[in-house]
Amino acid sequence: MLIWMWIFHSGYLRDYLSVCVMLFPFSLQDTTAYPYQFQDDPYLSPRTSVEFKLFSLSQESGRSAAKYFINNYPKFFTKDFAEPHIPCLMPETVSLCLEEVSEEALKERISLRKVTAAADMYDQLLQAGTEVSLETTHDLLDLICLYGDRDPVQDGEPETEDMEESGEEPKKRKGRVRRASDIIKSTWKQNNNAERIFNLLPERDTHCYSALIRGTVLHGAYEKAFSLYTDMQNNRLSADIHIFNALIAAAPEVRDKYQEKWDVINDLLKQMSQQKVQPNLMTFNCVLKALRRCGSLGKSQALQTLSEMKALQIAPSLASYSHILAIFYKPASAGQGNTDVLQEVIAELAGTSFTCQDPDDGMLCYLELGYQIQSLVEVGENWRLLGDSFQQSVYYGRFFNLLCLMEHIDVVFKWYRRLIPSVYYPNPQGLRDLLQALDTDNRLDLLPTIWKDICTLGHDNKSDLVEELLALMARDGHSHEVQESFAACALDIKRVYDENRGKPSLEWSNSSLSHVASLLLRANKTQHAWDVLQLFKAKNRVPHEELLGEFLSACHRDGSPQKAVELVHLSTAFCLSATPNLAKRALAEFDLTEEQRAVLSELESAGEPSD
């Protein structure tokens, strides 16, 4: 026994076994052994599922902690015993070598992605009266805008987050699996270092504007991006291709109606032509991706976009085909045209070798892979391999998100009924994905059904989710039957707002009150809508002028001149600028008594601005 222990510890036996494993990998595999990751320390070999989870997480935590210390304290890890040299086991070069205030020190901080340190060094250079070159300033703005004025999280470094700025409480993030997209998903802070440095520049060129516009789009400040573009035009600067690509990608976020979204995109394309900016593959992919959110309008414009690509001899990428399929091909649809588009895309892709040219180039294969994985899960008892309830929820949540993004709504609903609530309880984000899928396929008539499920799943107190549902129902007009179902849904939502159920309740906002009132008016439920209108004053909210116009039209439809007079009085109480126009409409459209006419005439003259 002692001899065998000496042989093992001397390394000969391990070398011998390593050679045997390489030569006979299957014959020496021990199916009764613990997983390979635990074989370094037999004491930590798990015997139960709880121990497996605890030990594996502990091991990964230790590995992350070791990487953190190595990268942050490299001076303690200078000796390299490995032969041959293994670079990944040595500290990364992340420490600063230049401490003096100079432009070279600033370049070093930029190259090492030290966002805060780079901004501080730039300020020190300005205070010392040192002029920073325009090229270095460009690199600094690119760095700050890419990471949203935050230092990027390094491998092995614990993630920290400004909870007040992100709007999330620490307890809500406990137990959440960190996604790769979280590294770049952050909120654009007003007057951050990028904006401050930009405003300090004596002269701003196109690259400076490009950095800020791309940064604001990347971090969700879409209106800010268009404001910067307007400022650049006022300064008589021409935009580059990156600016136009970012603005086209942001266009669906700044408009609600399909036609308005396309008008913004079309206007940007015309400006590209006027400024002689040649579009590239990303430009057309951004257009196609935006057209996915333009309903039936997207089909006609997508064909025109493809024709333009061919005219410019720009070959589509996988992302292009992914967007085209999302616009045209609906597997559950009976239209022959949809099938033809799918066949044409498959024929075009056959025998083609692609390289990644767009961040969305990987989306085309995800759906088929998702189905293949789900089929594997359904074989025998493979579902047990998904892990605990939390891991199962993560898996089904991502699978459902993929379906909402890529599939026809009928297929999405088939899976929705199959998965919920038997194996998956969707979170608010999962339900928002479903709402977006309904919007994309123009099946908003199903929204009342989704509202019932939202209540059943206990998400009816999530204000963002409820307001998004109301906004979709109130955005466009529909048939009488659909408007009746929307009105019934709106009344049920009003009940949820009004009642106190011992848990965080919803707070009425201007938009939620306006949407509910508008839905009730479209279904001729004028009295219910009038009750909602009274809530504006009770909740210290101000109605939109368009809503008051709808109320006046409803009063005319119902033949209620007294209600029209009360409406103008209410507009006066809110000090709305629309009061004179409402009074003028009431005087022209209603059969009024002399007393009512005198009151409205007085309100009309009182509301008009004096010279």
Side-chain angles (χ1 to χ4, degrees):
M1 177 62 72
L2 292 175
I3 295 176
W4 278 108
M5 289 180 62
W6 174 81
I7 293 175
F8 179 81
H9 286 290
S10 64
Y12 294 122
L13 179 60
R14 280 176 289 182
D15 293 342
Y16 170 75
L17 290 175
S18 299
V19 173
C20 290
V21 168
M22 287 188 291
L23 295 177
F24 313 104
F26 300 104
S27 59
L28 286 179
Q29 184 178 2
D30 186 358
T31 58
T32 65
Y34 291 108
Y36 179 78
Q37 66 186 102
F38 300 112
Q39 292 181 7
D40 287 341
D41 192 343
Y43 179 77
L44 293 179
S45 298
R47 293 177 296 275
T48 65
S49 59
V50 176
E51 288 184 353
F52 179 89
K53 179 179 179 180
L54 177 62
F55 294 168
S56 58
L57 290 178
S58 299
Q59 187 180 65
E60 186 62 32
S61 176
R63 185 178 290 110
S64 299
K67 192 175 294 184
Y68 171 78
F69 279 102
I70 288 176
N71 291 335
N72 285 273
Y73 304 98
K75 61 182 180 181
F76 299 115
F77 304 93
T78 56
K79 293 185 179 180
D80 186 6
F81 298 99
E83 293 182 6
H85 173 68
I86 306 175
C88 65
L89 297 182
M90 297 303 294
E92 297 178 3
T93 306
V94 295
S95 59
L96 299 173
C97 299
L98 302 176
E99 296 296 338
E100 73 276 5
V101 179
S102 65
E103 185 168 339
E104 290 302 319
L106 174 58
K107 291 180 179 179
E108 180 191 42
R109 284 152 177 77
I110 293 174
S111 64
L112 294 177
R113 299 182 300 163
K114 303 288 187 181
V115 178
T116 304
D120 292 341
M121 179 59 68
Y122 182 85
D123 292 337
Q124 294 178 36
L125 288 170
L126 292 187
Q127 291 171 5
T130 305
E131 183 178 353
V132 181
S133 67
L134 188 59
E135 181 181 358
T136 304
T137 305
H138 289 166
D139 293 339
L140 177 60
L141 285 175
D142 288 340
L143 175 71
I144 298 175
C145 292
L146 174 62
Y147 292 105
D149 199 15
R150 294 175 175 85
D151 285 317
V153 179
Q154 304 292 339
D155 290 338
E157 184 177 347
E159 182 179 6
T160 59
E161 197 170 6
D162 189 343
M163 294 301 176
E164 182 178 354
E165 292 172 355
S166 66
E168 293 182 282
E169 299 177 4
K171 64 181 180 180
K172 291 184 180 179
R173 294 185 61 84
K174 184 177 181 181
R176 175 183 175 273
V177 174
R178 183 181 165 200
R179 302 178 183 137
S181 59
D182 292 343
I183 298 174
I184 61 171
K185 278 190 177 179
S186 58
T187 305
W188 182 266
K189 297 183 293 185
Q190 293 294 329
N191 301 319
N192 59 13
N193 280 322
E195 293 186 18
R196 183 177 59 80
I197 293 173
F198 178 81
N199 293 328
L200 289 175
L201 293 175
E203 294 184 5
R204 303 156 194 162
D205 60 1
T206 299
H207 192 114
C208 298
Y209 278 99
S210 178
L212 253 72
I213 290 174
R214 285 184 288 168
T216 50
V217 171
L218 178 64
H219 298 287
Y222 308 109
E223 296 287 352
K224 178 72 175 178
F226 279 90
S227 176
L228 286 167
Y229 178 63
T230 302
D231 183 59
M232 187 186 71
Q233 288 180 307
N234 294 336
N235 290 329
R236 300 184 181 279
L237 291 173
S238 298
D240 59 18
I241 186 61
H242 305 296
I243 291 177
F244 282 114
N245 289 350
L247 293 176
I248 291 172
E253 308 294 341
V254 297
R255 294 292 185 272
D256 293 327
K257 296 184 180 299
Y258 298 148
Q259 185 62 49
E260 293 175 353
K261 294 177 182 179
W262 172 246
D263 289 342
V264 174
I265 297 171
N266 194 32
D267 184 55
L268 289 170
L269 294 174
K270 290 180 180 178
Q271 293 180 39
M272 286 183 65
S273 177
Q274 294 169 0
Q275 299 180 30
K276 295 182 172 52
V277 178
Q278 188 74 6
N280 58 14
L281 175 64
M282 285 296 299
T283 307
F284 289 107
N285 282 353
C286 288
V287 173
L288 292 172
K289 188 174 183 179
L291 289 174
R292 295 173 61 167
R293 300 179 58 183
C294 292
S296 58
L297 178 66
K299 294 185 177 181
S300 58
Q301 300 301 337
L303 292 176
Q304 185 177 348
T305 303
L306 282 178
S307 301
E308 191 71 19
M309 291 181 72
K310 292 182 179 179
L312 295 175
Q313 296 183 344
I314 296 178
S317 69
L318 282 177
S320 311
Y321 292 115
S322 174
H323 301 322
I324 291 296
L325 289 178
I327 294 171
F328 284 93
Y329 176 62
K330 310 297 181 185
S333 176
Q336 180 64 31
N338 293 337
T339 306
D340 292 342
V341 171
L342 176 62
Q343 292 175 346
E344 290 177 14
V345 170
I346 296 300
E348 189 75 21
L349 292 176
T352 305
S353 177
F354 286 94
T355 58
C356 187
Q357 305 176 68
D358 186 294
D360 292 331
D361 274 352
M363 289 302 299
L364 188 62
C365 61
Y366 285 177
L367 183 61
E368 184 177 351
L369 288 176
Y371 278 133
Q372 291 176 358
I373 294 173
Q374 178 59 25
S375 299
L376 183 62
V377 169
E378 294 174 354
V379 174
E381 294 189 350
N382 285 352
W383 61 271
R384 297 181 182 275
L385 302 177
L386 291 177
D388 58 21
S389 58
F390 174 75
Q391 292 170 320
Q392 289 183 28
S393 177
V394 171
Y395 167 77
Y396 284 113
R398 292 175 179 174
F399 178 57
F400 186 67
N401 170 266
L402 185 63
L403 293 173
C404 291
L405 186 65
M406 300 292 293
E407 272 290 16
H408 183 264
I409 192 60
D410 292 339
V411 179
V412 173
F413 255 88
K414 182 193 76 173
W415 283 100
Y416 179 76
R417 296 306 179 198
R418 181 175 174 180
L419 299 176
I420 300 170
S422 59
V423 295
Y424 173 52
Y425 288 84
N427 57 14
Q429 182 57 50
L431 292 169
R432 275 192 288 269
D433 293 338
L434 180 59
L435 294 181
Q436 186 173 352
L438 290 170
D439 186 20
T440 301
D441 283 299
N442 198 25
R443 290 301 308 273
L444 300 183
D445 55 295
L446 298 173
L447 289 175
T449 303
I450 302 303
W451 166 247
K452 294 179 181 178
D453 293 342
I454 290 175
C455 295
T456 303
L457 295 167
H459 296 313
D460 52 348
N461 63 332
K462 306 297 190 299
S463 59
D464 292 344
L465 181 62
V466 176
E467 291 201 14
E468 184 170 348
L469 179 77
L470 285 171
L472 288 174
M473 289 194 296
R475 187 180 64 193
D476 302 310
H478 300 272
S479 65
H480 177 71
E481 293 78 9
V482 174
Q483 291 297 166
E484 286 288 339
S485 64
F486 281 1
C489 182
L491 287 174
D492 193 50
I493 292 176
K494 178 179 178 296
R495 175 189 59 79
V496 173
Y497 269 94
D498 292 340
E499 67 183 11
N500 185 1
R501 297 163 294 171
K503 59 181 180 179
S505 57
L506 298 170
E507 290 289 338
W508 284 110
S509 63
N510 275 4
S511 59
S512 57
L513 283 169
S514 299
H515 293 328
V516 170
S518 180
L519 290 168
L520 294 173
L521 286 175
R522 292 175 188 173
N524 298 328
K525 299 183 182 298
T526 309
Q527 185 55 49
H528 288 294
W530 193 262
D531 294 339
V532 174
L533 187 61
Q534 307 308 312
L535 289 175
F536 278 94
K537 190 172 182 180
K539 302 296 181 181
N540 294 321
R541 301 289 186 263
V542 179
H544 300 298
E545 297 177 1
E546 294 82 0
L547 179 63
L548 296 183
E550 293 182 31
F551 265 99
L552 191 61
S553 299
C555 293
H556 184 265
R557 182 185 64 233
D558 298 339
S560 304
Q562 183 57 37
K563 286 289 187 184
V565 175
E566 293 178 16
L567 183 68
V568 179
H569 269 293
L570 186 61
S571 177
T572 305
F574 284 115
C575 300
L576 296 179
S577 60
T579 301
N581 292 332
L582 290 174
K584 184 181 295 185
R585 276 190 58 190
L587 287 169
E589 298 176 7
F590 288 86
D591 185 12
L592 304 168
T593 65
E594 290 299 327
E595 181 180 357
Q596 292 172 336
R597 190 170 294 276
V599 170
L600 289 176
S601 298
E602 181 180 353
L603 293 175
E604 179 185 10
S605 59
E608 292 178 348
S610 57
D611 296 332

